[in-house]
Amino acid sequence: MAHSSNVIAHPNDPVPVIRDRALWMRRRAFKMVYDAQLGHPGGDFSAIDAIATLYFGVLHYDPKQPELPGRDRFIMSKGHATGALYTALCAAGYFEESWLDTYMQPQSKLNGHPNRNYVPGVETNTGPLGHGVPVALGIAIAGQITGANHRTYVLTGDGELQEGSNWEAAMTAGHRKLENMTLIVDRNRLQQGAGTEETNSLDPLDGKFRAFGWHVEIVDGHDHEALFTALSAPCKGRGKPLCVIANTVKGKGVSFMENQASWHHGVPNAEQFDTAMKELV
């Protein structure tokens, strides 16, 4: 793999790089799920474009110094989408690609949910939904108090927003005017087994965040340029936390996976794997 690099300074036009990384991440994540016969490929594929935009266009970090004090923080609250997270960390240079071959195997560092004790670049252990936004809130408050320049980003699934802890955190972030905090909502409108609006309606999601004191941007969650523009916008002086609602497609990029709730945790057979690899070009 030719993607590992120290990404402290980004190119002037990172969109081609982001697009390249996102395609590699999809192909590699799907192979990981196929080899392990475990995973959450539908959610991986809806979130990959936002995560690739962060790591290869927006975040400031040094993979050789994962605990660098001035780094930006990224919390993957949607902790089951580890195919997306691990491939990003690998492509960013945090660990060798050979690690990906061990995905979900006994004693592998790459578990079904990320563990910061095993994986460099993971800021906090996630998996129980509703925990990531409160953790990101605490990090952002600490940065506000100390006057730090780093920014805190957190990505949630939309079904995850049915957890009340997220709204307690959202209320506090708005109250404290945490302009250093950005929440990305992977709005694919599907959760395990059904649509979000069938389960517990979230709309109008943008209006709810605005009512809690957030600045809201709604973007195509697979448009790398739109994602980059929204996520890299200066935060100083905004006076509000930022919520980016990324409208996405579960299973984006593979025809038989797209908009299918069954691929929340579906795993491919050999024929499906071959079909996906032909489509992901």
Side-chain angles (χ1 to χ4, degrees):
M1 183 190 67
H3 297 319
S4 295
S5 61
N6 183 318
V7 190
I8 296 177
H10 301 290
N12 291 331
D13 180 12
V15 172
V17 175
I18 294 166
R19 186 177 298 116
D20 176 67
R21 301 297 196 271
L23 176 60
W24 181 85
M25 288 164 64
R26 278 189 169 84
R27 292 178 60 88
R28 197 63 178 84
F30 204 64
K31 184 177 187 304
M32 289 158 56
V33 172
Y34 174 65
D35 290 343
Q37 287 295 289
L38 291 167
H40 295 83
D44 285 336
F45 280 26
S46 60
I48 272 176
D49 294 303
I51 294 173
T53 301
L54 286 172
Y55 277 94
F56 307 108
V58 176
L59 296 177
H60 295 281
Y61 60 90
D62 184 349
K64 296 180 180 179
Q65 302 180 76
E67 302 296 325
L68 187 72
R71 73 192 183 281
D72 289 334
R73 274 68 165 172
F74 172 60
I75 307 296
M76 184 70 168
S77 189
K78 182 180 175 177
H80 54 277
T82 46
L85 178 61
Y86 293 155
T87 51
L89 292 172
C90 176
Y94 281 96
F95 53 79
E96 297 297 322
E97 187 177 355
S98 60
W99 285 31
L100 299 181
D101 295 329
T102 72
Y103 182 58
M104 292 209 197
Q105 293 181 12
Q107 299 184 340
S108 171
K109 296 179 179 180
L110 304 185
N111 297 329
H113 293 101
N115 188 323
R116 75 180 313 275
N117 297 303
Y118 302 146
V119 185
V122 172
E123 293 288 347
T124 189
N125 297 13
T126 54
L129 299 178
H131 288 193
V133 178
V135 170
L137 171 74
I139 295 172
I141 290 173
Q144 183 186 61
I145 291 172
T146 62
N149 290 322
H150 64 74
R151 297 176 65 172
T152 300
Y153 296 82
V154 56
L155 185 143
T156 72
D158 49 2
E160 181 180 357
L161 294 182
Q162 293 159 6
E163 298 283 352
S165 52
N166 291 312
W167 296 103
E168 295 177 25
M171 181 168 57
T172 302
H175 171 73
R176 296 188 65 102
K177 305 184 187 320
L178 292 176
E179 59 186 13
N180 61 344
M181 180 174 177
T182 296
L183 166 63
I184 306 159
V185 180
D186 181 6
R187 187 71 167 116
N188 63 34
R189 295 182 175 271
L190 286 171
Q191 58 193 83
Q192 181 175 329
T196 57
E197 304 312 286
E198 301 170 55
T199 308
N200 193 6
S201 180
L202 294 169
D203 283 332
L205 190 57
D206 58 331
K208 289 173 180 172
F209 274 99
R210 289 190 179 102
F212 277 67
W214 290 60
H215 177 76
V216 178
E217 296 283 348
I218 302 173
V219 302
D220 178 341
H222 303 300
D223 183 330
H224 302 118
E225 186 169 354
L227 285 163
F228 174 70
T229 298
L231 295 172
S232 64
C235 65
K236 296 292 186 182
R238 186 174 57 216
K240 296 180 178 181
L242 171 64
C243 175
V244 176
I245 299 175
N247 288 316
T248 60
V249 175
K250 201 170 189 109
K252 175 68 174 179
V254 175
S255 58
F256 59 82
M257 288 173 56
E258 289 190 351
N259 286 316
Q260 299 298 314
S262 60
W263 282 95
H264 177 82
H265 48 52
V267 294
N269 58 33
E271 182 180 355
Q272 289 170 326
F273 176 76
D274 289 342
T275 299
M277 290 298 105
K278 291 175 183 176
E279 293 184 4
L280 293 170
V281 293

